[in-house]
């Protein structure tokens, strides 16, 4: 199957189909083979990195998802979806300051990223962030309500 992918013009639909198939079959071997394939793709396939990482993440392959999102950032450092997703990983690891910084970077890159906005607000509302970073996040979150665009400033 992977050899057929090398011959395809647009690999995105096929790779996504493979990932979904391997998730449904609960095939860790297939998921990891597809992960390796994605990591070897040329940089012009960045549109594939974030959604592929999300599928791997949902299937419990968080290390592989992180590697793909890091690759996405290496190609394009302002990929707001990758920044947000890495923020979620850092939050799960208990690295709250890192999570807050990644959510802020995602929003700086794309102030309309609703997921990053919701994640940042959840971080503040949970009371998990304290100190100066927490106060800054609270200030930004409350400024959301008065923003004309309806996004964090």
């Amino acid at each position: 199957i992977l050899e057929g992918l090398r011959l395809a013009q647009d690999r995105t639909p096929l790779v996504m189909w493979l990932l979904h198939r391997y998730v449904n079959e609960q095939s860790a071997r297939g998921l990891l083979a597809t992960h390796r394939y994605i990591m070897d793709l040329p940089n012009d396939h960045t549109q594939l990195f974030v959604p592929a990482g999300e599928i791997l993440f949902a299937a419990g392959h968080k290390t592989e998802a992180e590697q793909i999102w890091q690759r996405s950032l290496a190609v394009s450092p302002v990929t707001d979806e990758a920044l947000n997703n890495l923020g979620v990983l850092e939050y799960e690891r208990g690295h709250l300051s890192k999570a807050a910084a990644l959510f802020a970077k995602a929003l700086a890159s794309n102030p309309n990223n609703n997921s990053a906005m919701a994640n940042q607000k959840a971080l503040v509302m949970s009371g998990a962030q304290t100190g100066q970073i927490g106060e800054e996040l609270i200030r930004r979150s409350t400024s959301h309500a008065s923003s004309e665009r309806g996004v964090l400033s």
Side-chain angles (χ1 to χ4, degrees):
I1 292 176
L2 291 176
E3 184 57 36
L5 281 172
R6 295 185 211 297
L7 303 174
Q9 291 286 345
D10 182 7
R11 299 172 184 165
T12 302
L14 293 170
V15 170
M16 297 306 287
W17 175 80
L18 269 178
L19 286 170
H20 284 290
R21 176 181 168 199
Y22 291 139
V23 167
N24 290 336
E25 293 176 358
Q26 298 180 357
S27 171
R29 184 173 160 230
L31 284 170
L32 296 177
T34 307
H35 165 262
R36 284 190 302 276
Y37 173 78
I38 294 167
M39 293 300 288
D40 290 338
L41 284 173
N43 288 343
D44 61 347
H45 289 82
T46 57
Q47 78 281 0
L48 176 63
F49 296 157
V50 171
E54 289 171 349
I55 292 170
L56 288 164
F57 179 86
H61 294 273
K62 295 178 182 182
T63 300
E64 291 79 11
E66 179 179 23
Q67 291 169 350
I68 290 176
W69 294 329
Q70 291 290 357
R71 170 110 192 275
S72 179
L73 290 177
V75 174
S76 177
V78 291
T79 306
D80 60 299
E81 295 99 345
L83 290 163
N84 177 63
N85 293 344
L86 288 167
V88 171
L89 273 174
E90 292 299 341
Y91 179 82
E92 286 187 352
R93 292 174 176 155
H95 303 149
L96 305 180
S97 294
K98 287 181 181 179
L102 287 162
F103 296 146
K105 282 183 184 178
L107 288 167
S109 172
N110 177 6
N112 296 313
N113 184 321
N114 291 328
S115 294
M117 193 182 316
N119 289 334
Q120 187 181 58
K121 186 174 182 178
L123 185 64
V124 172
M125 299 309 276
S126 72
Q129 259 324 90
T130 59
Q132 190 174 11
I133 291 174
E135 290 170 13
E136 176 64 14
L137 287 176
I138 290 169
R139 186 190 63 73
R140 288 184 190 177
S141 294
T142 56
S143 73
H144 167 59
S146 63
S147 173
E148 290 179 24
R149 295 178 299 161
V151 297
L152 298 178
S153 55

